Amino acid sequence: AQSVAQPEDQVNVAEGNPLTVKCTYSVSGNPYLFWYVQYPNRGLQFLLKYITGDNLVKGSYGFEAEFNKSQTSFHLKKPSALVSDSALYFCAVRDDNAGNMLTFGGGTRLMVKP
Amino acid sequence: SQTIHQWPATLVQPVGSPLSLECTVEGTSNPNLYWYRQAAGRGLQLLFYSVGIGQISSEVPQNLSASRPQDRQFILSSKKLLLSDSGFYLCAGTVSTGQNTGELFFGEGSRLTVL
């Protein structure tokens, strides 16, 4: 079975500081990993994904994530946070060895304060 | 590009009234389609998914139902709404990249308030 955990309900960071939103996963095969962002009263928007290859993945709006197989993690990062980055972030995983549906984490609310 | 249109965007309905939320897909054919519910701006609960016309799988027993009358149309319905049906409903479809990664694209959501 596949699962994903976002251990922080909320992350607070000051504008201009680096941010990290954590995600860990569990799969039996190889993972496909995704980050999505949701602004208030909007649908989820795709940020980035890891399928194979380079462990550091760059995505939209200056975000990046690092795939760490030994720690089964896929943390989302940004060197310098903007107030406009404040939103709800979802990590998702699909096990290439089991079915074709994504499993989503519970979401982490990012609050960037000026 | 692949897009999903959902309507209505907002809906206020009395308890016991019927419901119909519609989702249509553009830019791809034969997608897997999904209905999620999100309560209070938190996690996503998968309600239904469909791999093709007339094929519906239910993930959570409830008074909601789903139908897929056409390849690019997915409808969420209820005969009698409950207060607990209030929430933000999201339709999603699989991105057709040829890799079968499971990547999804989402509609803008429909906010349902049951009074």
Side-chain angles (χ1 to χ4, degrees):
Chain A
Q2 60 192 33
S3 66
V4 61
Q6 294 181 243
E8 305 151 315
D9 283 346
Q10 182 161 319
V11 170
N12 298 310
V13 64
E15 187 175 30
N17 283 1
L19 70 88
T20 299
V21 182
K22 295 180 180 177
C23 172
T24 59
Y25 66 89
S26 175
V27 296
S28 59
N30 294 309
Y32 298 142
L33 292 155
F34 305 85
W35 276 103
Y36 288 83
V37 60
Q38 184 183 31
Y39 298 100
N41 295 310
R42 303 292 300 276
L44 275 68
Q45 297 177 30
F46 170 81
L47 273 182
L48 50 81
K49 64 184 175 185
Y50 171 82
I51 304 301
T52 187
D54 195 350
N55 289 344
L56 184 63
V57 179
K58 294 188 183 294
S60 307
Y61 312 121
F63 283 93
E64 59 188 29
E66 186 167 10
F67 171 62
N68 188 317
K69 188 172 183 177
S70 63
Q71 296 186 7
T72 61
S73 67
F74 190 56
H75 301 331
L76 182 70
K77 299 183 179 184
K78 187 173 181 180
S80 178
L82 300 172
V83 173
S84 57
D85 292 329
S86 299
L88 188 57
Y89 290 81
F90 289 97
C91 182
V93 68
R94 187 199 147 218
D95 187 343
D96 75 343
N97 200 32
N100 60 2
M101 286 207 295
L102 294 189
T103 295
F104 285 88
T108 298
R109 188 165 301 282
L110 174 66
M111 298 290 290
V112 182
K113 299 186 178 178
Chain B
S1 64
Q2 298 152 3
T3 57
I4 284 181
H5 299 284
Q6 284 187 242
W7 70 90
T10 59
L11 193 60
V12 180
Q13 292 285 98
V15 169
S17 64
L19 170 73
S20 181
L21 299 179
E22 191 158 343
C23 164
T24 57
V25 180
E26 292 182 356
T28 185
S29 58
N30 197 30
N32 291 348
L33 295 174
Y34 304 81
W35 277 112
Y36 289 90
R37 178 167 58 200
Q38 186 179 30
R42 294 305 308 183
L44 302 174
Q45 178 186 32
L46 178 62
L47 300 176
F48 300 95
Y49 68 94
S50 170
V51 300
I53 296 173
Q55 301 179 65
I56 307 295
S57 296
S58 174
E59 290 292 301
V60 182
Q62 58 212 315
N63 71 320
L64 299 172
S65 62
S67 62
R68 188 166 176 180
Q70 300 179 40
D71 180 48
R72 302 179 192 182
Q73 186 183 29
F74 200 28
I75 298 171
L76 183 69
S77 304
S78 175
K79 292 182 179 178
K80 289 185 178 182
L81 284 169
L82 306 173
L83 287 174
S84 57
D85 292 325
S86 293
F88 193 54
Y89 290 82
L90 290 160
C91 180
T94 46
V95 173
S96 57
T97 63
Q99 289 183 295
N100 193 26
T101 63
E103 181 181 343
L104 297 178
F105 62 106
F106 285 80
E108 287 300 309
S110 296
R111 182 162 299 283
L112 170 66
T113 303
V114 182
L115 301 176

